[in-house]
Amino acid sequence: CWTASRLARRGLQHHPRCLLCDQDPETIQHLLMACPFAKQTWHIILDWAHIPAQPPANETTMMDWWLRAKAQTPPTLRKALQSITLLVPWMIWKQRNECVFDNARPLIDALV
Ligand SMILES: [Zn+2]
């Protein structure tokens, strides 16, 4: 994809290990859904918004999770769920980049 080739040209590689938990290889599925850091973030945000859906668990894609979460969420809260579904991955990605490029330490409180 465009981003991958651009990063490769700049000599920036995919990080071999997730910098948010330091436990598993960094894949997009791990980073946004399976990582303990991500799971905790999802849990806090969904709880805060009173959305009864369970955080991502064993889903392979965000779409799989979103379809399940939508079914678990009353219609009046679905717009909030949609926003959260976009914003949480965005904020996790930003936090990941701060760790990769600015040597920041991952902080769930700061992200939330
Ligand atoms: Zn991780």
Side-chain angles (χ1 to χ4, degrees), residues 29 33-34 39 54-62 64-65 68:
Q29 193 270 346
M33 300 193 291
K39 281 186 169 170
Q54 295 302 304
N58 299 313
E59 286 85 5
T60 352
T61 67
M62 282 299 304
D64 291 340
W65 175 76
R68 174 169 68 75

Side-chain angles (χ1 to χ4, degrees), residues 18 21 30 35:
C18 174
C21 67
H30 171 83
C35 181

Side-chain angles (χ1 to χ4, degrees), residues 36-71:
F37 185 94
K39 281 186 169 170
Q40 182 69 13
T41 302
W42 283 108
H43 178 78
I44 293 170
I45 298 286
L46 290 169
D47 199 51
W48 167 78
H50 303 291
I51 292 175
Q54 295 302 304
N58 299 313
E59 286 85 5
T60 352
T61 67
M62 282 299 304
M63 180 61 93
D64 291 340
W65 175 76
W66 182 71
L67 290 172
R68 174 169 68 75
K70 200 171 74 160

Side-chain angles (χ1 to χ4, degrees), residues 13-27:
Q13 297 299 316
H14 209 273
H15 238 266
R17 209 179 52 242
C18 174
L19 290 179
L20 300 181
C21 67
D22 205 25
Q23 288 171 22
D24 288 306
E26 183 189 72
T27 64

Side-chain angles (χ1 to χ4, degrees), residues 4-18:
S5 59
R6 184 164 152 264
L7 290 176
R9 268 206 313 279
R10 293 172 58 192
L12 299 172
Q13 297 299 316
H14 209 273
H15 238 266
R17 209 179 52 242
C18 174

